[in-house]
Amino acid sequence: MFESLSDRLQGLFQKMGNRGRLTEKDIDDAMREVRRALIEADVNLAVVKEFVAAVKARSLGQEVLRSLSPGQQVIKIVHEELIHLLGDEQVPLGRASAPPTVIMLVGLQGSGKTTHAAKLGVNLRKGGQQPLLVAADVYRPAAITQLQALGKQVDLTVYEEGTQTPPPRIVQNALRVARDKGNGTVIVDTAGRLQINEQLMEELEEIKRVAAPTEILLVADAMTGQEAVNVAREFHARVGLTGVIMTKMDGDARGGAALSIRRVTGVPIKFLGTGEKVDAIEAFHPDRLASRILGMGDVLSLIEKAQSQFDEQQAKAMEQKVLSGKFDLEDFLNQLQQVKQMGPIGQLLEMIPGLGAQARKQDVQVSDDDLKQIEAIIRSMTPEERRNPQLVKGSRRRRIARGAVGRSTRSTRCSTSSSRCRR
Amino acid sequence: MIDLLKKATRYRRVKIFQRGVPFVIMVVGVNGVGKTTTIAKLARYHQQRFNRSVILAAGDTFRAAAIDQLQVWGGRIGVPTIAHQPGADPGAVVFDAMQAAHNRGADLLIVDTAGRLHTKYNLMQELTKIRRVMQKTVPEAPQEVLLIIDANTGQNGLRQAEEFAKSVEITDIALTKLDGTSKGGIAFAVTKALGVPISYVGTGETLDDLTEFNAETFVDGLFFEEHEGEIE
């Protein structure tokens, strides 16, 4: 349903085709597409208007009209303006001059504050800090238990006083503990609240007063619609945000809310939450999100993912093998493992420019189960068979099929021949 | 517009509660929309309004302390919660809960599921499996599949609804967090696309903050700034 903006613009300009120069009307048509795409991506209407005006002004300039590929030019301008709106460059977390540095997480219910308290803790520990997590959500049932469970899972200390103490007091005591124990960073998980709940907003102000946080991060759901503006504006007005964490970015929401939030608050987006596991948090890069909003894919994140998982030496050895024609099923299995480590296949495909939309359109479902099947089959082979799949005939094939539980002999044949194709 | 939504209400099927057969409600949705809270409210609603005996099933074995959260609610309203250990197979929990509902002659079983993004193929498959498990005990279960949508959700709500509908047959929608400033306009698109009614509206964090959906007050809420009167 979401055809990417870049595809649409390409199509539009192709239709205009060989008329040579673009007219102002052509640009207007293009801007209509831009507007539609941004609204579909949940960018706030006022922000869209302002943005389109800026893009149009630039598009009417010489650089586009004279260009041989005006479509590309307009896309480039949209991309650049998006990056600009998102804040041009990445802003790291601040540090307090005297420890502990206090980071406060605030936001609506269900945006992911508790999960991100733990994720952020893990992320900061990688940078050599020793964060203390503080359970200041005394309202939601089992919110404290949740933070404790996460803390245990990732081996971070959680400070809590049950549900009877007022949150500002809990935070105050936590700071004392952090000083005593030498925790350089304190991450405060506050309760989810509506920005119009006067009593709870006052509580946030009170926590801010006692904790003097260096960072107050708004945790916002990437799927949020037009409402994002009201929420961000009000939280910012009450406590003065210093940054934003956009969560649930592993879904297919375009994340236009990020643009709106950035525009109305002026504070930088600092992190993206990309999954339910505790390491699923990334530093925010404006250019990458801009590409995503445009539906241009996210090659850089893909490359980074690959780099963090692949062993370079192994890759070289593999290259040698492929070149010398000695690539066998054993090696294939090896590669399969590495790809699997990068995350669910579907998610990886999404990041490849063009492929994401394509896959959706044709309803291609690549499931990790398919890979598991292949793996099961190969694992049922003897080492000799793996090195030399030609050996697999009749009775061997039946044995392997039995080993791979419930796989018919036919899919075993598929697997061996797919390796043959590779040669 | 009211007409449109009224039509949506007409999609509502008559719910048949059979004697001796537990009526099963399966609650699904993306992360953080308020599934567990809605379940507690829903249990309370059936208890008070219809005097039904309710059992809860802690089918979210994945998120930290999700089980505890449901148990706390269950304790508050005096309703038993069937739960396994964190990380257990949700199918097994649901199977046990189905047995328990059957053996204890409960009128209603409400099944919590882990929040999942609709783009995660494997997790969506898991929902289909949970549904199959239910049908082993009660062939017509789940008689109600409730998709929870956060009123703050934007265009993505439609994608969510479509994908969930592919895995499990959605019968009802609950729109949560309507007590904020969001008007929940995405509900229009969803109810039209799926042809299922918006049955409930969540308007706060306490047990009584659940109402049946009313098309007129909803549309009024969309157009008039005055927030009072939007929800009865």
Side-chain angles (χ1 to χ4, degrees):
Chain A
M1 196 191 73
F2 288 114
E3 199 184 351
S4 82
L5 176 60
S6 38
D7 289 348
R8 259 194 225 164
L9 285 180
Q10 297 281 20
L12 192 73
F13 287 116
Q14 255 159 33
K15 254 186 274 162
M16 294 170 186
N18 311 323
R19 266 194 280 137
R21 289 188 154 201
L22 290 184
T23 64
E24 189 170 340
K25 188 186 160 293
D26 294 338
I27 297 284
D28 276 339
D29 289 344
M31 289 308 113
R32 195 176 315 122
E33 292 294 330
V34 174
R35 194 177 302 125
R36 258 181 55 189
L38 292 180
I39 290 171
E40 270 177 20
D42 288 323
V43 182
N44 177 267
L45 286 174
V47 178
V48 171
K49 265 190 203 150
E50 198 182 280
F51 179 80
V52 169
V55 173
K56 189 178 169 188
R58 263 188 76 186
S59 301
L60 286 173
Q62 300 292 319
E63 48 181 330
V64 174
L65 297 179
R66 277 214 193 136
S67 154
L68 287 174
S69 53
Q72 295 286 8
Q73 281 295 332
V74 171
I75 292 168
K76 187 164 160 259
I77 293 173
V78 172
H79 193 228
E80 281 170 8
E81 289 291 322
L82 274 178
I83 293 172
H84 181 62
L85 187 52
L86 284 169
D88 284 319
E89 50 196 60
Q90 197 213 335
V91 184
L93 285 179
R95 296 281 284 270
S97 49
T101 302
V102 179
I103 301 171
M104 215 171 129
L105 300 183
V106 302
L108 297 179
Q109 290 94 341
S111 56
K113 283 174 298 303
T114 309
T115 309
H116 282 81
K119 285 186 188 177
L120 202 55
V122 171
N123 187 280
L124 291 176
R125 185 172 53 194
K126 273 186 198 153
Q129 302 180 51
Q130 198 47 252
L132 177 71
L133 307 183
V134 182
D137 179 358
V138 298
Y139 307 105
R140 179 167 60 97
I144 297 174
T145 326
Q146 184 185 354
L147 192 64
Q148 282 175 317
L150 287 168
K152 202 170 155 204
Q153 195 184 326
V154 300
D155 196 24
L156 283 172
T157 317
V158 174
Y159 182 83
E160 57 99 11
E161 292 186 21
T163 57
Q164 297 308 313
T165 319
R169 175 85 61 77
I170 296 176
V171 174
Q172 221 164 8
N173 294 341
L175 290 187
R176 201 172 308 128
V177 170
R179 266 180 225 116
D180 288 350
K181 299 259 169 76
N183 295 104
T185 314
V186 174
I187 301 172
V188 181
D189 176 31
T190 66
R193 64 201 75 214
L194 286 169
Q195 78 280 11
I196 50 168
N197 186 325
E198 188 51 37
Q199 200 190 339
L200 287 179
M201 290 307 279
E202 270 169 24
E203 180 198 279
L204 269 195
E205 291 171 329
E206 183 62 28
I207 295 178
K208 181 186 176 184
R209 199 153 39 237
V210 300
T214 308
E215 293 280 356
I216 301 179
L217 304 179
L218 176 71
V219 180
D221 187 327
M223 295 179 276
T224 315
Q226 298 286 328
E227 188 58 17
V229 169
N230 297 333
V231 175
R233 189 181 282 138
E234 191 60 23
F235 270 100
H236 192 47
R238 296 300 289 262
V239 292
L241 302 171
T242 63
V244 179
I245 302 180
M246 294 298 295
T247 63
K248 308 182 201 172
M249 291 295 291
D250 46 332
D252 58 358
R254 287 261 190 257
L259 276 182
S260 313
I261 294 175
R262 164 77 203 184
R263 181 68 190 82
V264 298
T265 62
V267 303
I269 295 152
K270 296 197 169 170
F271 291 96
L272 300 182
T274 56
E276 295 191 75
K277 304 232 168 78
V278 286
D279 57 355
I281 186 168
E282 295 172 3
F284 173 73
H285 297 278
D287 46 335
R288 298 184 193 176
L289 187 67
S291 301
R292 175 177 173 138
I293 292 172
L294 283 174
M296 284 165 62
D298 186 358
V299 184
L300 283 174
S301 295
L302 185 64
I303 292 171
E304 245 171 40
K305 259 197 167 167
Q307 273 173 345
S308 68
Q309 296 298 343
F310 282 82
D311 180 348
E312 202 175 328
Q313 292 216 319
Q314 233 178 335
K316 278 225 176 85
M318 196 63 78
E319 198 183 308
Q320 277 298 319
K321 278 198 154 175
V322 174
L323 287 178
S324 60
K326 282 184 193 146
F327 185 85
D328 57 28
L329 284 175
E330 194 104 41
D331 302 317
F332 180 56
L333 188 64
N334 227 320
Q335 287 206 322
L336 220 54
Q337 301 293 5
Q338 290 193 336
V339 172
K340 262 168 59 184
Q341 274 171 20
M342 286 169 63
I345 279 282
Q347 204 176 325
L348 298 180
L349 289 183
E350 283 281 304
M351 291 187 196
I352 301 173
L355 204 60
Q358 213 80 31
R360 261 202 298 280
K361 217 179 285 165
Q362 296 165 5
D363 217 19
V364 177
Q365 287 289 11
V366 186
S367 93
D368 294 291
D369 286 349
D370 296 342
L371 295 187
K372 254 185 226 152
Q373 265 186 31
I374 297 175
E375 203 186 315
I377 291 169
I378 298 178
R379 285 195 188 283
S380 309
M381 296 179 178
T382 63
E384 219 196 327
E385 285 164 348
R386 291 184 202 176
R387 277 191 291 274
N388 187 7
Q390 270 89 354
L391 285 176
V392 180
K393 301 237 161 64
S395 79
R396 280 180 194 257
R397 188 179 291 148
R398 273 195 297 280
R399 191 202 75 240
I400 293 167
R402 262 202 312 281
V405 191
R407 295 283 149 254
S408 69
T409 48
R410 194 156 147 224
S411 78
T412 311
R413 197 181 299 149
C414 286
S415 161
T416 48
S417 63
S418 100
S419 128
R420 231 175 266 150
C421 292
R422 246 157 241 282
R423 296 196 172 194
Chain B
M1 220 181 248
I2 296 173
D3 269 1
L4 186 80
L5 284 167
K6 276 225 173 108
K7 233 179 262 162
T9 328
R10 219 182 300 143
Y11 294 130
R12 204 178 286 181
R13 284 181 239 159
V14 181
K15 302 267 159 70
I16 305 163
F17 280 77
Q18 281 174 278
R19 194 178 278 277
V21 179
F23 188 89
V24 182
I25 302 179
M26 180 178 183
V27 180
V28 301
V30 297
N31 314 65
V33 288
K35 282 179 294 303
T36 310
T37 311
T38 303
I39 287 170
K41 293 178 190 172
L42 206 55
R44 171 76 147 206
Y45 168 85
H46 281 278
Q47 259 184 337
Q48 292 204 324
R49 185 103 185 251
F50 305 102
N51 202 20
R52 289 176 180 138
S53 60
V54 185
I55 293 184
L56 307 180
D60 182 357
T61 55
F62 180 78
R63 203 205 72 198
I67 298 172
D68 304 74
Q69 189 180 348
L70 193 67
Q71 280 171 331
V72 170
W73 280 121
R76 282 188 200 169
I77 54 178
V79 157
T81 307
I82 309 297
H84 285 190
Q85 291 301 308
D89 172 22
V93 180
V94 170
F95 185 80
D96 281 359
M98 291 295 294
Q99 294 294 324
H102 194 264
N103 295 341
R104 299 180 201 180
D107 298 320
L108 182 67
L109 171 68
I110 309 181
V111 178
D112 193 8
T113 61
R116 63 202 73 217
L117 290 178
H118 50 288
T119 49
K120 305 279 167 75
Y121 180 75
N122 292 345
L123 291 177
M124 295 307 282
Q125 289 292 96
E126 186 187 86
L127 286 184
T128 317
K129 183 191 156 194
I130 291 176
R131 189 157 160 265
R132 268 202 312 275
V133 170
M134 291 174 177
Q135 288 164 348
K136 277 185 191 151
T137 313
V138 177
E140 52 271 66
Q143 292 91 331
E144 182 172 322
V145 181
L146 184 62
L147 174 70
I148 315 275
I149 300 228
D150 183 332
N152 293 309
T153 310
Q155 300 295 326
N156 196 250
L158 196 54
R159 304 265 321 152
Q160 291 171 22
E162 285 168 351
E163 290 303 318
F164 273 97
K166 274 188 206 161
S167 309
V168 281
E169 212 175 293
I170 305 291
T171 65
D172 298 80
I173 293 166
L175 192 61
T176 59
K177 309 188 195 172
L178 211 55
D179 47 332
T181 47
S182 176
K183 319 260 194 238
I186 191 67
F188 265 111
V190 171
T191 193
K192 188 156 173 259
L194 295 194
V196 299
I198 304 167
S199 300
Y200 315 97
V201 169
T203 55
E205 287 184 284
T206 68
L207 279 167
D208 300 318
D209 295 328
L210 182 82
T211 47
E212 286 177 33
F213 176 76
N214 177 324
E216 273 156 57
T217 48
F218 179 73
V219 173
D220 282 353
L222 277 177
F223 290 105
F224 302 109
E225 267 309 305
E226 198 60 64
H227 232 272
E228 286 80 27
E230 182 186 336
I231 298 122
E232 294 301 323

